Amino acid sequence: MRNEAAVLYGPHDVRLEERPVPVPGPREVLVEVRSVGVCGSDVHYYEHGRIGSFVVEQPLVLGHESMGVVVGLGSEVTKHQVGERVALEPGVPCGTCRECRAGRYNLCPYVKFFATPPVDGAFARYVTIHEDFAYALPDEISDDAGALVEPVSVGLWACRKARLRGGEHVLVTGAGPIGLLAMQAAFALGAAKVTVTDVVDERLQFARKVGATATVNVRSTPLVEAGVEADVLIECSGSPTAVADGLRCLRPAGTAVLVGMGPGETVEIPVAYLQQHEIWLTGTFRYANTYPDAIELIRAGKIRPEEIITGHYPLAEAESAMQATRRDPSQVKVMVLPQLEA
């Protein structure tokens, strides 16, 4: 076995190097990585070397949207067999803190999350992970779709936080991968209509192609002038303007879920509007207990993550993969295939 990895040394500095094949702990599985999605966080680390308080201070392997095949078992593993295809939930919590014990393990302060300094990610041929966070994939789900269970989980968690019951008009601000998968998750949970906004026409055309009921280019038509009245806002852009304008497009007693993270720690909120209209406002951080449901929704064809994929790259071209969406706005989600030869 040769364990090649694409390693980030600093902004715009990715090097392909060989590393030792990791040895699984007693309850870990060794996974041969087959497909990894490039996330906006990977791009942000590549461009800036940090996200907020998370700073790349030592060489870091990026990539956290991943799947692969189990090729090795720790001495106490009972849930998996060699040869099994698995989707990897990239955040392994401590399991004993207050938040974990309450079922909110996404809020565990001790979580070890792939591609978040100093924890290496999945732009590599081999990784290890605790057996509880590797999920068997049915044959109907492709490798690429298996890797995208992770961003599907982000969208599904946002819809759960919105308490969708069916029949709602959902406004999704931001037509990137998370916005598009949140849109599909909303439809899967019974939304009657989803309006998607963005500032790039190519992204909005893509949104209509993969199922959006309506789209608004908020660069040319401010959202507050577009006549949108939604039951639910799922904000996926991180734009302060999208937050403020999206809130004003909610009907009384509507719900707003903030998913996208903007450049600053604060954003202006129209508090008087929220109070006068009794708007429910919440944030999200990753997800918890979503992988089994996300896998089943993909298997059943209710969420179709492969529809947003626009390119594939071998591991040797991981840096080009992280540059793809900046170079070409029509690129939505690109995948790195570690076992693909350049």
Side-chain angles (χ1 to χ4, degrees), residues 7 28 75 136 165 167 186 197 236 337:
V7 185
E28 291 184 327
S75 60
R165 299 178 301 277
T197 73
C236 298
L337 308 182

Side-chain angles (χ1 to χ4, degrees), residues 9-272:
Y9 277 79
H12 301 274
D13 183 6
V14 175
R15 307 175 195 177
L16 189 67
E17 62 185 37
E18 189 165 340
R19 291 189 161 191
V21 175
V23 177
R27 294 198 59 198
E28 291 184 327
V29 291
L30 175 65
V31 177
E32 180 186 77
V33 182
R34 293 288 181 84
S35 182
V36 191
V38 176
C39 176
S41 64
D42 297 318
V43 176
H44 203 86
Y45 279 122
Y46 171 72
E47 294 282 352
H48 305 287
R50 66 184 299 155
I51 296 178
S53 61
F54 295 104
V55 181
V56 179
E57 296 178 337
Q58 60 191 49
L60 179 72
V61 179
L62 293 175
H64 64 266
E65 303 173 357
S66 62
M67 66 76 60
V69 176
V70 175
V71 294
L73 306 175
S75 60
E76 299 177 15
V77 168
T78 61
K79 297 183 177 180
H80 300 286
Q81 297 179 344
V82 169
E84 189 173 46
R85 298 169 63 247
V86 289
L88 307 185
E89 183 173 352
V92 178
C94 76
T96 59
C97 71
R98 180 186 64 188
E99 305 308 328
C100 284
R101 291 169 66 86
R104 299 184 293 264
Y105 67 82
N106 58 312
L107 303 180
C108 171
Y110 311 109
V111 66
K112 295 181 179 179
F113 200 92
F114 276 14
T116 300
V119 182
D120 284 329
F123 285 162
R125 289 184 179 268
Y126 297 95
V127 298
T128 55
I129 196 166
H130 192 287
E131 64 172 339
D132 287 348
F133 292 86
Y135 296 81
L137 288 170
D139 292 340
E140 300 98 308
I141 294 182
S142 71
D143 288 357
D144 284 346
L148 297 186
V149 172
E150 200 279 338
V152 167
S153 286
V154 176
L156 182 59
W157 185 244
C159 291
R160 286 183 177 176
K161 297 288 280 187
R163 299 174 296 179
L164 292 184
R165 299 178 301 277
E168 293 93 348
H169 177 190
V170 177
L171 171 63
V172 175
T173 48
I178 296 299
L180 296 177
L181 292 174
M183 172 194 75
Q184 290 195 2
F187 279 127
L189 297 185
K193 177 180 180 180
V194 180
T195 297
V196 178
T197 73
D198 205 282
V199 296
V200 178
D201 280 332
E202 291 90 344
R203 288 290 179 96
L204 294 172
Q205 292 169 8
F206 200 90
R208 291 191 294 272
K209 177 182 175 182
V210 299
T213 309
T215 59
V216 179
N217 187 323
V218 291
R219 187 184 298 279
S220 56
T221 305
L223 185 54
V224 291
E225 298 177 10
V228 176
E229 184 182 48
D231 301 291
V232 169
L233 165 67
I234 299 179
E235 204 302 294
C236 298
S237 72
S239 162
T241 301
V243 174
D245 289 354
L247 288 168
R248 294 183 183 279
C249 290
L250 286 172
R251 63 163 179 79
T255 300
V257 181
L258 306 186
V259 182
M261 292 185 175
E265 291 189 1
T266 61
V267 63
E268 288 191 12
I269 299 291
V271 175

